[in-house]
Amino acid sequence: MILRGRAWKYGDNVDTDVIIPARYLNTSQPEELALHVLEDLDPEFRSKMEKGDIIVAGHNFGCGSSREHAPIAIKASGVGCVVAKSFARIFYRNAINIGLPIIEAPEAVERIKSGDILEIDLENGEIRNLSSGESFRFKAFPPFLMEILRAGGLVEYTKRRLRGDNREKGSRNTR
Amino acid sequence: MGLTLSEKILSEKAGRKVRAGDFIQAKVDFLLMNDITAPISIKVFRELDAKIFDKSRVAIILDHFTPNKDIKAAEQCKFSREFAEEKKLPYFFEGGKVGVEHCLLPELGLVLPGDLVIGADSHTCTYGALGAFATGVGSTDAGVAMATGDVWLRVPETLKLIYEGERDPWVMGKDLILHTIGDIGVSGALYMAMEFHGDAISSLPMSDRFTMSNMAIEAGAKAGLMPVDEKTIEYVKERAKRNYQVMEADDNANYRKVKKYKVEKIEPLVAFPHLPSNVKEARNAARMNIKINQVFIGSCTNGRYEDLKTAAEVLQGREVAEHVRLIVLPCSPSVYLRALKNGVLETLISAGAVIGPPSCGPCLGGHLGILAAGERTIATTNRNFVGRMGHPKSEVYLANPAVAAASAVMGRIAHPEEVMRS
Ligand code: SF4
């Protein structure tokens, strides 16, 4: 799976309150949440980003509340992937569970600038910065998580588990 | 090498000996959701077309935007209520039964020592104070666990924190945890469990222990556990709705890191905007003449009876400064009732406080005390992120209930001593 898009770079500790402020949590509709993504951090983000763009951030991205509305808002806005130095743990599992690709790559984050065009190869663990010509490797997901991602998220994974269906375990089913 | 408390509990729940770093599928003892997170969980659950694993181990608590703050919130609550009715869930809380989830569930004996509790709310880590492994997850996790009764977890490494010595009379659990977060930072325990030890922890009342475990997440931690002692047993034995198992960390457990704090050196603290780690001593903050518009005493961090009582001691016979709004939300119906019967509410109201219903209220910027642009509040809550309590240009300062009450009297951030002297 190859992702390609423009980088939008932010700092450390981008919390769930700025990703999707609580005042919008009276709904869980992805399209509605997407309208306010990153609103309190960068009010223009929504209007300037394009589908497939990539959020690049520092340490502890997604810290704060457990609201799944945060990765949902990001995914529904069309963002293709988040690359950060590190992620807050609940955000990390929520993103995996809903099938939003997220990558921990501290070195790459140091070098990427806002506006750079990135190409990310999820399977092979590589980030290519087409603007600067640099490329970076990142650690592939542990096998357990890869299984969930391959199934297309935790819901699909669980459906198979409940059916006692193990045959498809190794199959690649990206959505 | 022995096992940490987290490894002990998770080994039990996984049915095999597990170590930090292992990915496991573990049995859940209790599962909770709130009005914001439940709707997504319910949709996920319905998609799985399964049965609830055990109805007596699931709670839905409508505590965030309730009493319903607007039409959308009302619709959201209705959605969860219909599900609870359809499934005949015994632990569905709203109206006069509802309190802030993390105050309510321990009070009712629904979460217990040795449990693995997962909750679709980040402050689920509060129950670590009972010696449980309790951690916040997302709605999808909760929806799936409602069907399977288990959850995937990566067994965390543990940061052991030892607190020794005697507390200053105005220092509460809130200050110990703020000091810790100030020391290690908001991602200082990322992906890790915290274990709180030492004589200064044994001497803390349960209410302050809950406060500390509650804020483990503010250091990025997955859980914040405390050893079970007589006080814990005293607390749970009258309440427990089912059997529980006390587990302890091994003496030779393998910790990622051990830190010691001398409690005598810790002062009442204030976390400045916009991170809980941005702490300064209340004494110094008091000299900066930081004017406030609002004071909020409540939340799953510091809305318990002991917190209200502490605030009342400071406010006894005094008045809230002009142009300052003091909002107090007792965190559960039983806290409300006890504070009412014991005259705590009378003291607070006489001082000029607004008493509101048990709810999260302004803690997450929901309702019942939202800030305008440029306004400042001191709150007993746990987060002071940008826009957390209202307008993105408002400011939240975090402190213990005594500091918050003293600030209400002075109209600026203050140390309780200043007020008690006058
Ligand atoms: S009181 Fe605040 S922190 Fe606690 S559950 Fe409610 S919103 Fe979350």
Side-chain angles (χ1 to χ4, degrees), chain B residues 316-373:
Chain B
Q316 175 73 48
R318 298 188 172 82
E319 265 182 42
V320 172
E322 229 178 305
H323 305 306
V324 172
R325 313 173 298 261
L326 168 60
I327 296 170
V328 180
L329 304 186
C331 73
S332 74
S334 79
V335 168
Y336 200 132
L337 200 57
R338 193 170 162 205
L340 182 71
K341 283 186 181 155
N342 296 352
V344 168
L345 294 189
E346 193 180 333
T347 304
L348 295 173
I349 294 169
S350 306
V354 180
I355 312 292
S359 164
C360 296
C363 172
L364 82 162
H367 60 159
L368 302 171
I370 302 305
L371 301 172

Side-chain angles (χ1 to χ4, degrees), chain A residues 13 17 22 25-26 28 32 60 64-66 68-69 87 89-90 93-94 97 104 144-145 158-159 161, chain B residues 25 47 70 72 76 121-122 135-141 144 150 152 186 191 222 364 383 385 388:
Chain A
N13 303 314
D17 280 292
L25 297 185
N26 49 11
S28 55
E32 262 187 75
N60 207 21
S65 89
S66 68
E68 204 157 298
H69 310 66
F87 291 91
R89 58 156 290 271
I90 304 180
R93 62 182 298 132
N94 285 347
N97 286 346
E104 252 183 24
F144 183 88
L145 298 189
T158 307
K159 275 188 192 164
R161 244 186 92 200
Chain B
Q25 202 77 45
E47 215 186 304
D70 57 20
K72 282 185 179 174
Q76 200 164 245
D121 188 277
S122 61
T135 192
V137 296
S139 297
T140 298
D141 279 308
V144 164
D150 63 14
W152 71 266
V186 291
Y191 304 132
K222 191 165 194 160
L364 82 162
R383 288 190 179 136
F385 301 150
R388 174 74 178 176

